[in-house]
């Protein structure tokens, strides 16, 4: 099992809809979770991080963490064409001594106008 | 505040040739990362520096890849000799410190094509 798994997509949603992006991880001990956005041909940029079970909201973005089920989700409300990008989930490695991130393969989101 | 700078932006070489990439992190950032991102995959950490010391190079193919950050500021990543499978975008990132509570800022990347 991969440490971080994401559906590669593409996930296609109409403008104004809610986009739901999911990520599962293998290590029950993982404590922190990060969502990055990467536009085509550009570098990743951090959009959300979450440490605690439950929801964390930031504008149109909500991160949801369920440690018991080992998944973390990113919801984008009122999706806009400018949200079209690849969304990367990242978690620290299992039992790692260093503070580094393991990235998933990313989910490509396409918001249709 | 200036971002992470990388050069060159693009490089095309033949297999078995050598190549070097340069990165200048955000001023004051002690931690510097080199990632490899193959098309369709997420970034993979190659090496992490804290000032001029190596924190993690467990995924660096040391038979062909080397990296240095001699003065604890800018860094170079070298590949010698290159293989076809090294074709990827090489991303440099920096953060204030090694703790994950510090955001990692990525540079624009260097797209390497090995023919």
């Amino acid at each position: 099992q991969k440490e971080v798994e994401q559906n590669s997509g593409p996930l296609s949603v109409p403008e104004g809809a809610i986009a739901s992006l999911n990520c599962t991880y293998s290590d029950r001990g993982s404590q922190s979770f990060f969502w990055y956005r990467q536009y085509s041909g550009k570098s990743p940029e951090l959009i959300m991080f979450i440490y605690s079970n439950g929801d964390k909201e930031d504008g149109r973005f909500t991160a949801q963490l369920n440690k018991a089920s080992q998944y973390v989700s990113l919801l984008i409300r009122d999706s806009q064409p400018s949200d079209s990008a690849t969304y990367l989930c990242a978690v620290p490695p299992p039992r790692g001594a260093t503070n580094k991130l393991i990235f998933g393969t990313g989910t490509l989101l396409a918001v249709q106008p | 505040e200036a971002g992470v700078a990388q050069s060159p932006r693009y490089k095309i070489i033949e297999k078995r040739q050598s190549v070097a990439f340069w990165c200048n992190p955000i001023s004051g950032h002690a931690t510097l990362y080199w990632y490899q991102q193959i098309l369709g995959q997420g970034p993979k950490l190659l090496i992490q520096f804290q000032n001029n010391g190596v924190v993690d190079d467990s995924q660096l193919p040391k038979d062909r890849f080397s990296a240095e950050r001699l003065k604890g500021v800018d860094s170079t990543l070298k590949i010698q000799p290159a293989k076809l499978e090294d074709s990827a975008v090489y991303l440099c990132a920096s953060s204030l410190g090694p703790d994950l509570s510090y955001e990692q800022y990525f540079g624009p990347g260097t797209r390497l094509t090995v023919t």
Side-chain angles (χ1 to χ4, degrees):
Chain A
Q1 182 186 7
K2 289 183 180 178
E3 291 163 313
V4 182
E5 295 203 58
Q6 296 181 256
N7 187 319
S8 60
L11 173 66
S12 183
V13 300
E15 184 174 355
I18 296 175
S20 178
L21 304 156
N22 299 314
C23 170
T24 59
Y25 58 94
S26 62
D27 182 31
R28 284 193 174 275
S30 293
Q31 296 294 317
S32 53
F33 307 86
F34 299 78
W35 282 102
Y36 283 78
R37 178 177 62 200
Q38 186 171 29
Y39 291 112
S40 179
K42 303 296 184 183
S43 54
E45 56 179 331
L46 181 67
I47 52 173
M48 291 281 289
F49 63 88
I50 185 167
Y51 295 103
S52 304
N53 258 343
D55 296 358
K56 179 182 179 182
E57 188 174 319
D58 184 1
R60 296 186 296 112
F61 297 94
T62 299
Q64 298 179 320
L65 175 59
N66 184 322
K67 290 187 176 182
S69 300
Q70 293 178 239
Y71 79 79
V72 56
S73 300
L74 179 69
L75 301 180
I76 307 175
R77 290 182 302 281
D78 189 24
S79 296
Q80 300 297 309
S82 58
D83 295 324
S84 298
T86 296
Y87 290 81
L88 298 160
C89 172
V91 303
R95 298 172 293 282
T98 59
N99 294 313
K100 68 179 185 183
L101 292 174
I102 305 296
F103 284 83
T105 57
T107 298
L108 177 62
L109 172 66
V111 181
Q112 307 300 324
Chain B
E1 176 180 78
V4 177
Q6 290 188 247
S7 67
R9 293 294 312 279
Y10 305 91
K11 190 75 176 178
I12 301 174
I13 62 172
E14 295 181 351
K15 59 184 178 184
R16 292 187 289 273
Q17 286 187 324
S18 302
V19 65
F21 312 128
W22 175 81
C23 171
N24 194 30
I26 293 172
S27 177
H29 281 197
T31 309
L32 186 147
Y33 310 80
W34 282 103
Y35 288 89
Q36 179 193 59
Q37 187 173 23
I38 293 172
L39 186 65
Q41 299 182 19
K44 182 181 82 170
L45 181 69
L46 294 176
I47 189 166
Q48 177 183 346
F49 291 95
Q50 178 64 20
N51 296 310
N52 61 352
V54 175
V55 174
D56 188 326
D57 63 357
S58 58
Q59 296 196 92
L60 187 72
K62 298 180 187 62
D63 58 334
R64 298 184 301 106
F65 286 64
S66 64
E68 60 184 16
R69 194 185 183 200
L70 293 176
K71 297 183 179 179
V73 181
D74 58 348
S75 175
T76 56
L77 175 70
K78 297 179 181 178
I79 307 175
Q80 180 180 9
K83 293 185 175 182
L84 295 176
E85 58 261 36
D86 298 332
S87 294
V89 175
Y90 290 85
L91 295 163
C92 179
S94 71
S95 62
L96 280 170
D99 193 274
L100 288 176
S101 64
Y102 294 112
E103 181 175 349
Q104 294 184 28
Y105 294 86
F106 285 82
T110 297
R111 183 177 298 276
L112 173 67
T113 301
V114 182
T115 63

